[in-house]
Amino acid sequence: MRRRGCLVTLGVFALLILVCCGLGFFVGLPQLRDTFEDGIAEGVSTQVSEQLPAGELPPGTYTISLTELERQLSTSVDTQNVQGISLSAAGDRLELGIETDTNQTLTYSGQPVAENGRLVMQDMDANNGALEFFLPADQLGDALERGVNDYFAVRGLEIASIELEADQIVVEATQ
């Protein structure tokens, strides 16, 4: 009888571990992804609104500084394992680097384009499979898109073109 009790106890314990792992995967991981995505979108949106004029905007060309955007993102992402964030233009691609507390730099990159009056991050990828598991590149692209598109949409403007020039994103906006 004693062995049977031990087996039942081990079975219950294994079931509890399985339930905890399932909760972590199906509840905790999406929550972590959403928190990071929201931090990026909020940081981009805040910095875009600080860099560009407030209120109504006429159609025209607007410039967003990557240095200032990087600074804002570094302060708005609230995770204990991130030591720094870098943002740069590499040709026609935008690169977001995340330096971890283990001195590893994880990089996302994508090509910003204007499509149907909105910013769209195309061909998003990450240089690390584990990073891709925790925050898929497309989800990060969505956060960057949301941060810029919301600013222009609220002002009734559409994005006609986007170019990366040195340390800037140059946006041509129309009505």
Side-chain angles (χ1 to χ4, degrees), residues 56-99:
E56 302 246 349
L57 290 181
T61 302
Y62 298 95
T63 303
I64 302 167
S65 165
L66 291 177
T67 303
E68 289 301 311
L69 195 53
E70 176 184 308
R71 183 188 58 75
Q72 180 64 32
L73 288 175
S74 293
T75 60
S76 69
V77 175
D78 183 27
T79 76
Q80 57 189 332
N81 297 328
V82 175
Q83 297 299 314
I85 292 181
S86 62
L87 192 59
S88 62
D92 64 348
R93 295 183 68 80
L94 191 60
E95 290 187 354
L96 175 71
I98 302 169
E99 186 180 339

Side-chain angles (χ1 to χ4, degrees), residues 2-174:
R2 208 161 205 215
R3 286 185 185 194
R4 187 174 183 181
C6 285
L7 286 176
V8 169
T9 302
L10 286 175
V12 168
F13 186 67
L15 182 62
L16 285 174
I17 289 174
L18 185 62
V19 167
C20 289
C21 289
L23 283 174
F25 185 78
F26 292 109
V27 177
L29 184 59
Q31 183 65 33
L32 176 69
R33 288 175 176 169
D34 290 345
T35 299
F36 196 73
E37 179 184 355
D38 289 345
I40 295 288
E42 193 173 301
V44 169
S45 180
T46 300
Q47 188 56 45
V48 167
S49 65
E50 286 180 9
Q51 287 189 39
L52 300 180
E56 302 246 349
L57 290 181
T61 302
Y62 298 95
T63 303
I64 302 167
S65 165
L66 291 177
T67 303
E68 289 301 311
L69 195 53
E70 176 184 308
R71 183 188 58 75
Q72 180 64 32
L73 288 175
S74 293
T75 60
S76 69
V77 175
D78 183 27
T79 76
Q80 57 189 332
N81 297 328
V82 175
Q83 297 299 314
I85 292 181
S86 62
L87 192 59
S88 62
D92 64 348
R93 295 183 68 80
L94 191 60
E95 290 187 354
L96 175 71
I98 302 169
E99 186 180 339
T100 66
D101 57 357
T102 60
N103 293 326
Q104 244 186 332
T105 300
L106 311 169
T107 306
Y108 286 98
S109 67
Q111 181 181 10
V113 297
E115 194 173 279
N116 298 321
R118 300 177 59 79
L119 164 67
V120 175
M121 293 299 295
Q122 292 183 340
D123 303 322
M124 286 294 296
D125 61 7
N127 72 339
N128 184 297
L131 176 65
E132 180 76 16
F133 176 77
F134 287 106
L135 183 63
D138 289 338
Q139 194 170 1
L140 180 71
D142 292 345
L144 294 171
E145 291 169 9
R146 188 170 26 136
V148 174
N149 290 333
D150 288 353
Y151 175 83
F152 286 100
V154 164
R155 285 153 180 81
L157 296 175
E158 294 185 351
I159 297 174
S161 70
I162 294 177
E163 291 184 34
L164 297 176
E165 294 179 2
D167 185 32
Q168 301 175 337
I169 300 173
V170 178
V171 177
E172 180 70 33
T174 61

